[in-house]
Amino acid sequence: MYLGQLGMDYAQESLRELLSEYGYTGNRPEILFGIYDFLANESDEALVHGIRAYELSGHDIERVAKLINPDRLVAYIIDVTDETETLANLQEKLFYASDIRSQFSGLGSMGSRYRSRSAQKSNCANSIVELGLEINSRLAEIDPHNAEVLKSYDFKEWSGLYNMRRQALQIAVLAQQHLTEASEETLRILSIYDSLTGTADIRGLDYDVLDAFMRKKLDLGKPSSDGKIPDAFKADAYYEDRRVFGGINREQEWRMRHFGRQRKDWELHQEYRDQSQERREEDQAKLEDDYRRMIEDPWAYYSSQLELLGLTKEMTLAEAKRAFRREVHKYSSAFNTLFNTSPEYTASQEAAKAVLSAWESVSALYKAKEAAEASTTV
């Protein structure tokens, strides 16, 4: 047991007096670690003892992980250590030596906490968070979305660095959750983890934290434009199948609980077939209705085309042709202007097409009318 772990008030006070009066000039790392731990939050001299202990012990992170008050020494280690792997090992050892893991809560059947969190906060939680953020910063380029960096690494090496960054953030989220629960800082670190991995699935993540994060991630405060649940909100279509084999994912569980799951491929195909059949029946019914209206009164059926061309039923074929030529002349620029992408050119093209299409539809009516009148005269 280190000096800093002595619990008796009189012993601690006596040690403070001794250290203040005589100091310690020895080189035993275990004693130096103890002095640092004992005075860590009270004396600038403490950090010197801690640094000496760390250096004389050959950078023994096992001993650092056992400290009750590691923050100041860990901050020093972060500043002077080039090897990111060393920081990752220190963070992991601090985490597993702490009581943070024993206070996990999780997803019960109703999503509430099944284990209360201790009001006592671990002194190493801040160090765990700082180490995680430092590792994340150093490995920022190790990202599945960064294809160029991925090409520059051997895949095995890249995977190792990716897992180091992922685990560092995961542990940092749990430590920050331990300190501040569903605070903005916890959600911020969780957001970094989500951006890296594509999911907020972390074993030990409180439901309250997950719920707050997912509502923010999906922007649930914004009303839906059509009242429907977007597929992007729902759990993966095949998540239930994976869950049968133990593939539990906390984010997918949350999505399933609130929005259900997306449709499977065969369900989409079946829906498409049903819709296609329904659409074919609707198209057939519309076509039959169009034929009926065309037969009953073709002039009424093509009334919109007649109106576009400025024609009436009473006109002769010759009069209708003259009106059509006048209308076409308005859009002559559509036929003699070189192709370009201007809005004016596009508009004139569309208008000319509409006029030509309308005349093709109604010219037959005037021809039939003229033929009928001629046969009556004879």
Side-chain angles (χ1 to χ4, degrees):
M1 179 180 289
Y2 291 147
L3 295 175
Q5 296 170 315
L6 291 174
M8 295 176 288
D9 291 341
Y10 75 88
Q12 293 184 11
E13 188 60 35
S14 298
L15 282 171
R16 285 192 185 91
E17 292 177 1
L18 287 171
L19 290 170
S20 176
E21 184 174 353
Y22 300 106
Y24 176 71
T25 58
N27 299 314
R28 294 180 62 183
E30 62 271 22
I31 295 179
L32 289 166
F33 273 122
I35 294 173
Y36 161 79
D37 212 12
F38 184 64
L39 299 176
N41 298 320
E42 302 180 19
S43 167
D44 291 337
E45 187 72 17
L47 182 58
V48 175
H49 288 302
I51 294 173
R52 288 190 66 223
Y54 180 66
E55 298 296 342
L56 290 172
S57 68
H59 299 174
D60 190 344
I61 59 175
E62 293 275 2
R63 290 187 175 182
V64 175
K66 294 177 182 178
L67 296 172
I68 291 179
N69 302 298
D71 286 358
R72 297 176 69 187
L73 184 56
V74 168
Y76 164 79
I77 294 172
I78 290 174
D79 291 339
V80 301
T81 302
D82 293 328
E83 299 79 14
T84 306
E85 186 175 358
T86 299
L87 301 184
N89 289 336
L90 175 57
Q91 186 202 32
E92 184 177 357
K93 291 183 184 301
L94 281 167
F95 179 69
Y96 284 102
S98 72
D99 60 349
I100 296 174
R101 293 177 65 247
S102 66
Q103 296 182 18
F104 283 171
S105 62
L107 291 167
S109 60
M110 297 301 293
S112 60
R113 296 179 180 181
Y114 62 77
R115 186 177 299 171
S116 61
R117 187 175 301 290
S118 170
Q120 180 67 36
K121 304 303 180 185
S122 173
N123 288 351
C124 69
N126 280 319
S127 292
I128 293 172
V129 172
E130 291 304 315
L131 283 163
L133 294 177
E134 176 68 20
I135 294 166
N136 174 67
S137 176
R138 293 189 183 193
L139 300 179
E141 68 174 7
I142 305 300
D143 190 307
H145 305 102
N146 194 333
E148 291 301 317
V149 172
L150 180 58
K151 291 178 184 177
S152 66
Y153 281 90
D154 172 80
F155 183 72
K156 184 177 181 180
E157 180 185 7
W158 184 92
S159 297
L161 294 174
Y162 171 80
N163 286 327
M164 185 187 299
R165 184 185 178 195
R166 178 187 57 78
Q167 181 168 318
L169 283 170
Q170 180 173 301
I171 293 175
V173 169
L174 296 175
Q176 189 63 51
Q177 170 185 267
H178 171 80
L179 289 171
T180 59
E181 300 186 349
S183 67
E184 285 299 318
E185 184 60 16
T186 303
L187 299 184
R188 184 184 75 84
I189 302 173
L190 181 55
S191 178
I192 299 172
Y193 179 84
D194 178 71
S195 297
L196 176 68
T197 65
T199 180
D201 179 40
I202 296 178
R203 181 178 178 274
L205 190 68
D206 277 354
Y207 180 80
D208 293 347
V209 176
L210 176 62
D211 186 67
F213 175 76
M214 291 302 298
R215 291 178 184 280
K216 188 173 182 179
K217 177 180 178 178
L218 300 179
D219 196 13
L220 294 186
K222 184 178 180 181
S224 172
S225 58
D226 56 5
K228 296 181 180 179
I229 299 174
D231 273 355
F233 286 11
K234 299 177 182 179
D236 180 78
Y238 295 93
Y239 172 65
E240 286 179 304
D241 300 333
R242 294 195 299 272
R243 186 172 59 178
V244 171
F245 298 97
I248 300 295
N249 181 295
R250 288 151 188 79
E251 178 175 329
Q252 293 294 322
E253 289 285 342
W254 187 93
R255 290 174 180 271
M256 179 78 75
R257 178 172 302 161
H258 290 280
F259 302 115
R261 65 166 175 81
Q262 299 173 8
R263 290 163 294 178
K264 298 180 179 180
D265 291 341
W266 69 266
E267 292 172 330
L268 291 172
H269 293 158
Q270 181 62 45
E271 181 181 358
Y272 176 76
R273 286 194 295 270
D274 293 343
Q275 289 179 348
S276 297
Q277 179 62 30
E278 183 179 347
R279 193 177 299 114
R280 283 194 295 271
E281 292 174 355
E282 290 175 353
D283 291 345
Q284 181 65 28
K286 183 178 182 302
L287 184 61
E288 292 175 357
D289 183 61
D290 287 345
Y291 282 142
R292 179 186 57 76
R293 291 190 297 111
M294 189 186 303
I295 293 171
E296 289 177 354
D297 189 348
W299 295 95
Y301 182 78
Y302 288 113
S303 60
S304 60
Q305 287 86 345
L306 292 169
E307 183 179 356
L308 175 64
L309 297 172
L311 305 179
T312 64
K313 181 179 179 180
E314 290 72 23
M315 287 181 174
T316 64
L317 177 60
E319 291 172 334
K321 285 183 177 180
R322 285 195 294 272
F324 166 65
R325 285 194 291 270
R326 287 195 300 270
E327 199 65 27
V328 168
H329 184 70
K330 294 179 183 179
Y331 303 101
S332 59
S333 62
F335 307 110
N336 54 34
T337 302
L338 294 177
F339 174 81
N340 62 77
T341 57
S342 68
E344 294 78 10
Y345 178 82
T346 302
S348 66
Q349 286 283 314
E350 293 302 318
K353 289 177 186 177
V355 169
L356 294 172
S357 176
W359 176 248
E360 286 182 342
S361 298
V362 302
S363 60
L365 297 180
Y366 289 100
K367 292 175 182 177
K369 176 186 173 186
E370 185 177 68
E373 290 175 348
S375 63
T376 302
T377 303
V378 174

